[in-house]
Amino acid sequence: MKKYLLLLAIILPFVLTSCGDDKDEPKQSLEQQLIGSWVGDVYNIIEGKVVVTHPHSGYILFNADHTGKGWTIIDGVKSPDMHFTWSLKGNVLTLSNGSSEPESMEISIKDDVLHTKQGTIELDYIRAKG
């Protein structure tokens, strides 16, 4: 009987050990997810209950040191590069370029899509690869 208990004591930890999964790993904060390059190709303006979609191209880069840059192409016209500083409080992102009022917007990130909402304007960006 003692041999069986000893054998059980030796084997039991291996039987009860979980292989583990990613659920136990801590999630990245929204700020950590935001850092990197993003590209966009449409923006939506919410007019009442109607969503009006406009084509555009955009690029935005968020650096870990809270600086960044971006540009857009609307109707074939590229904007000058915009350099900015950014801050994030909860899910509110604020961009400042020093020459105008800071812009704040609500953000969320899911499946490598950055969704921004500023008043009636919503923009989606996809994480740039490479």
Side-chain angles (χ1 to χ4, degrees):
M1 182 70 169
K2 290 182 184 180
K3 290 181 185 180
Y4 290 116
L5 288 176
L6 181 60
L7 185 60
L8 185 60
I10 292 171
I11 294 174
L12 193 58
F14 294 105
V15 172
L16 297 178
T17 301
S18 169
C19 293
D21 57 20
D22 292 352
K23 292 179 184 176
D24 295 338
E25 293 180 12
K27 288 187 173 184
Q28 284 187 321
S29 70
L30 186 58
E31 182 171 315
Q32 290 169 326
Q33 292 178 61
L34 182 63
I35 294 169
S37 300
W38 300 87
V39 293
D41 60 0
V42 297
Y43 70 95
N44 298 317
I45 298 178
I46 313 301
E47 297 174 354
K49 294 186 179 210
V50 177
V51 177
V52 180
T53 300
H54 299 274
H56 94 289
S57 294
Y59 171 82
I60 193 162
L61 169 67
F62 295 98
N63 295 312
D65 66 357
H66 290 247
T67 62
K69 68 178 179 178
W71 51 260
T72 59
I73 297 175
I74 299 176
D75 296 328
V77 178
K78 182 184 179 285
S79 70
D81 286 354
M82 178 182 84
H83 295 271
F84 58 85
T85 58
W86 62 273
S87 63
L88 187 63
K89 189 171 190 174
N91 72 328
V92 177
L93 174 67
T94 302
L95 304 178
S96 268
N97 68 4
S99 64
S100 61
E101 288 294 314
E103 292 185 33
S104 293
M105 62 199 76
E106 293 178 31
I107 68 165
S108 61
I109 299 173
K110 184 177 179 184
D111 298 328
D112 282 337
V113 175
L114 167 62
H115 179 77
T116 67
K117 181 177 182 184
Q118 184 178 23
T120 61
I121 299 175
E122 297 184 9
L123 296 129
D124 286 333
Y125 294 87
I126 299 168
R127 184 173 301 280
K129 305 293 181 198

